Amino acid sequence: MALITYTYVSSTAYQTTQFRRAFEKEYAAFDAWFHPFSDSLSSASLSGLFENKLFLEELEEKEYALFVFQDKKFVVWTDPVIKLDSDLSGKGFVQLNNGWYFYEKLENEVLQIIGLTHLMEIYPKPNRFLETQILLPGQYVPGLTISRDSCAT
């Protein structure tokens, strides 16, 4: 689990708990969406998923990102903004060029499938129109940071 911290916030415990609860709900929905890919890996065919109208609607509605690599080369990607390589493993938190994501990766000898859900948007040069923001439901005060440092939970 990543370390979630607040700076200069009087209700740190409450805010952190609120973030974790919202994340747990988001993770459950993301995991349910991502699970069918394990079947695709065993059959080595992704074509069925991209013909599934419900799958495509959820992909767009929930703003999940999907990357498929074959022999470590891009085959399919759904988000041209995210800069990603195939070196991730398992599942966890990752900071990319435009924010923090939770990711999950499935792979076999040939294919690597990485799904991402955007948790926090970060702008390289924030201003009054472009501010760091948490993309999970809830009311959050400024000051949340996510770190790759692990912590006991």
Side-chain angles (χ1 to χ4, degrees):
M1 181 63 117
L3 180 62
I4 299 163
T5 60
Y6 275 90
T7 53
Y8 310 113
V9 177
S10 61
S11 60
T12 300
Y14 172 76
Q15 289 288 303
T16 302
T17 300
Q18 183 180 17
F19 180 86
R20 284 179 190 251
R21 285 183 183 151
F23 170 72
E24 287 169 2
K25 287 180 183 176
E26 177 65 20
Y27 172 72
F30 173 77
D31 193 52
W33 171 81
F34 194 68
H35 182 74
F37 288 109
S38 59
D39 297 335
S40 296
L41 274 177
S42 60
S43 69
S45 170
L46 294 171
S47 60
L49 280 175
F50 294 103
E51 293 168 4
N52 181 330
K53 187 176 178 181
L54 180 60
F55 168 79
L56 294 173
E57 286 173 359
E58 274 194 342
L59 181 67
E60 186 176 328
E61 177 188 317
K62 303 222 184 236
E63 298 183 14
Y64 295 143
L66 180 70
F67 293 84
V68 179
F69 298 85
Q70 185 170 3
D71 298 320
K72 299 203 178 228
K73 295 179 184 160
F74 278 117
V75 178
V76 175
W77 59 94
T78 61
D79 191 320
V81 175
I82 300 172
K83 295 178 183 173
L84 183 71
D85 59 40
S86 65
D87 292 339
L88 297 173
S89 62
K91 58 184 167 184
F93 293 92
V94 63
Q95 184 175 12
L96 298 173
N97 58 306
N98 63 335
W100 279 94
Y101 290 81
F102 180 80
Y103 75 90
E104 194 162 341
K105 180 179 181 180
L106 298 169
E107 61 186 316
N108 64 19
E109 299 79 32
V110 178
L111 293 174
Q112 299 88 35
I113 302 172
I114 301 173
L116 299 114
T117 183
H118 204 169
L119 303 176
M120 182 179 209
E121 196 160 43
I122 299 173
Y123 295 96
K125 296 186 180 195
N127 60 45
R128 65 184 179 133
F129 302 107
L130 301 173
E131 296 179 353
T132 295
Q133 62 180 324
I134 298 167
L135 302 174
L136 295 173
Q139 299 287 323
Y140 301 97
V141 295
L144 175 81
T145 57
I146 300 175
S147 168
R148 289 183 207 192
D149 299 333
S150 61
C151 65
T153 54

